[in-house]
Structures are given as structure tokens and as C-alpha cells.
Amino acid sequence: MKLLFLGLGFISTNVAYFLSGKHNITVTYKSLNPVKEEYVKILRDKKVEVVNLDIKDEQKLSELIKNSDVVVNFIGEISGTEEELRISNVEIPKTVASIVNKYGKIMIHLSGSTYGRTGYVKVEEKIGEGLNPQSPFERTKLQGELEVYKILGDNAFIFRPTLVYGRFNAHVQFVQIYKLVKRGIIPSLNLNFMPVSSRYIAEAIDAIANGKRASKNYFYVTECNPVNLTTFFELFSKALSKRGVKIPVVLSLAKLFLPSYVKALLKYAGTIYDCSVFKELVPKLQFDEKEVQENAKFLNELDKEGILIPT
């Protein structure tokens, strides 16, 4: 199968890395920084085609979609102005869905999972029903889902990933974990989140590409058990062979050092997302400690090269 991945980030890099031996994969990027240049090297070593694409170039975008079987949209923003969020999270997936529809292809759209509901969150019967997005990020993510689903119907698969981790993760949260562990600090935080390995996202995409379907086309992409945030620090410490000191941290104090968009997500700590639909595609969903430790080693290599840049 020919898979087109729109957007070069850690999730798409991990997914392409895992699926490179099973499918012909093309990954697009708009611009590169030193970390993304590393992603390009990793992917090209795995025989993945990496091409430059300005998503505004609809002619080139159309040609890439036309020559693909499955299109996976990884493009999205978590922070920025409301207009920037609207363009990235609504207008771009809407444009992609329209072209996908024109050529009768299948689209997988990676969206978000935080839509104002906490506690135990099941997938709603009708897409968007009962959700209550609060922030511009949440509102635009949901609007993007609705636009894609309206255009493509059953040819659209909406993934709502929770806390994504993986070996090539250079998001600011994980870079911060690395820096603290490097200093020998392991904060003890009473914060539990529902994680998901990018490897399981790859398995789900592979299943859909091979014709497998779940009971719903939109669902939470998550493992089935919460993980305490301190576990990530401990696994980084183990991978880096760093002896760390556990320091109890009061949440109110931790908030002082967190980016604003991360603070907004803290209210979802302790929320349990229903994994049952995702499990129809990926039956075994266990926390992958190896991937977390590989992530620590990857960030250490970036650090040695002087390019530890949050991406």
C-alpha cells in the first residue's frame, strides 16, 4: 500500500519508522530545524520518501494524494493564536479531506482527546455530541474533526490520541523530563495520564490500510491503563544510568514552570478514556517501557550533538 503522511513530527516519524517495511511511505514537511533534519535522516535510512510540501500548493498536494491509497494527516498545532490554530486544525484538514474525497481515497486524521469531559470518557454515539471544548485549541480540533467527517463519512477515520510517547519524541514536555533527569531530579507528582505509544498508532494505521475496521470511525487512541507521570522520569533515569533523587512536588508549584498550554491540560489528569474501540484495531495495549527508554537515549544523542531543541 502507498501511504501519504502529511507533516513531519515525532509521531509521523515513529509511525513511518515502524511501518517502513510494510508499506511504501511518503512523508511531507514544510520546513526543517536540526531535530527534523534528524527525522529526515532516520526515515531515509528506512527507505521512506521525504518530500517538501507547502500545504497551500494544492496542485502538488493533489498529485501526492492521487498517487496514494491512504492519507494520514498529522498536521496540527497545540498553541498559537486562534487564527493560527484555525488554519492548522480546521482549514488544512478540510482541504485535505476535500481532495481525498475527489479521488476516493481513505483519510486518517489525528485530532485531540481533550474536549471538556473528565472522569470516565466514552466515545459519543454521534460525533461531537455532548462534548464541551473549552480552549481555542480544543474548539478548533473538534471543528476540524467535524469538517473531515462531514466530507468523507465512512472514508474518514478520526484518531483522538491521548498522551503520545515514542522513541523520537522531542516535544517540550519530554525534553524537560530529560533535562531534569540529567540533573538527577525525579519529581514525585500525583498526576496520572492515559498514554499511548506511537507504535500502537502505527499498528492501527496498518490495520486500517489492510482493510480492518472498528465499530466506530472516531475514537480515543489510548492504552487502557493510566500511568503516573513520575514513571516517565524513572524510566528516563534508568535509560541514562542516572541516579536521581525523588523530590515530592506540589502541583501548584509545578504549574509555575509549565507552559500555558500544558497547564490547560492538567485538568484532564486522572481522566480515563475508553480504549475499547481502539482495542478492536490493536488488541494488545500495554505501556511500552522500552519506547520511553529509547526516547531518553534519542534525546541524549541530540544533546551530545548540541541540537536538543523542543519540536
Side-chain angles (χ1 to χ4, degrees), residues 163 165 173-174 177-178 181 185-195 223 225-240 242 246-247 286-296:
L163 176 64
Y165 63 94
Q173 301 97 315
F174 288 84
I177 289 173
Y178 168 81
V181 169
I185 300 170
I186 301 178
S188 181
L189 294 158
N190 188 25
L191 292 172
N192 295 316
F193 289 94
M194 297 292 287
E223 294 167 19
N225 296 301
V227 172
N228 189 279
L229 190 57
T230 302
T231 302
F232 287 92
F233 287 89
E234 293 171 338
L235 290 170
F236 268 45
S237 179
K238 182 178 179 181
L240 300 173
K242 294 287 292 187
K246 270 194 178 181
I247 302 174
Q286 296 179 337
F287 184 58
D288 193 339
E289 293 187 357
K290 181 183 176 182
E291 281 298 293
V292 178
Q293 293 183 65
E294 289 297 323
N295 186 197

Side-chain angles (χ1 to χ4, degrees), residues 22-154:
K22 296 183 177 181
H23 303 280
N24 294 321
I25 301 173
T26 298
V27 180
T28 72
Y29 69 91
K30 182 180 179 181
S31 60
L32 297 175
N33 61 25
V35 175
K36 290 193 175 185
E37 287 173 357
E38 289 296 310
Y39 290 163
V40 172
K41 291 177 189 176
I42 290 165
L43 294 179
R44 286 181 174 158
D45 283 346
K46 299 291 285 186
K47 310 302 181 187
V48 172
E49 184 179 9
V50 185
V51 300
N52 178 245
L53 172 70
D54 186 333
I55 208 75
K56 295 176 184 176
D57 186 348
E58 290 195 23
Q59 183 176 351
K60 187 173 182 179
L61 176 62
S62 294
E63 195 64 25
L64 287 167
I65 291 174
K66 181 181 178 182
N67 293 326
S68 303
D69 299 305
V70 178
V71 178
V72 187
N73 179 45
F74 291 94
I75 297 172
E77 293 291 344
I78 193 170
S79 61
T81 67
E82 191 149 1
E83 178 62 12
E84 288 169 339
L85 290 169
R86 185 188 66 79
I87 291 171
S88 183
N89 297 340
V90 182
E91 295 305 321
I92 288 176
K94 182 179 177 182
T95 297
V96 173
S98 296
I99 300 172
V100 167
N101 188 53
K102 176 182 176 182
Y103 292 112
K105 308 295 183 176
I106 288 172
M107 178 175 175
I108 298 171
H109 173 57
L110 270 76
S111 187
S113 59
T114 56
Y115 291 134
R117 295 171 65 186
T118 58
Y120 179 70
V121 180
K122 293 190 68 174
V123 183
E124 66 275 17
E125 288 302 315
K126 181 180 178 182
I127 187 168
E129 190 174 58
L131 301 183
N132 185 29
Q134 302 292 311
S135 67
F137 163 71
E138 293 178 353
R139 288 192 293 270
T140 54
K141 274 296 188 182
L142 181 56
Q143 188 180 348
E145 283 190 20
L146 296 174
E147 293 289 351
V148 168
Y149 200 75
K150 181 171 67 176
I151 294 167
L152 288 169
D154 288 342

Side-chain angles (χ1 to χ4, degrees), residues 215-232:
S215 55
K216 290 186 183 297
N217 283 31
Y218 52 94
F219 44 84
Y220 294 101
V221 171
T222 181
E223 294 167 19
C224 297
N225 296 301
V227 172
N228 189 279
L229 190 57
T230 302
T231 302
F232 287 92

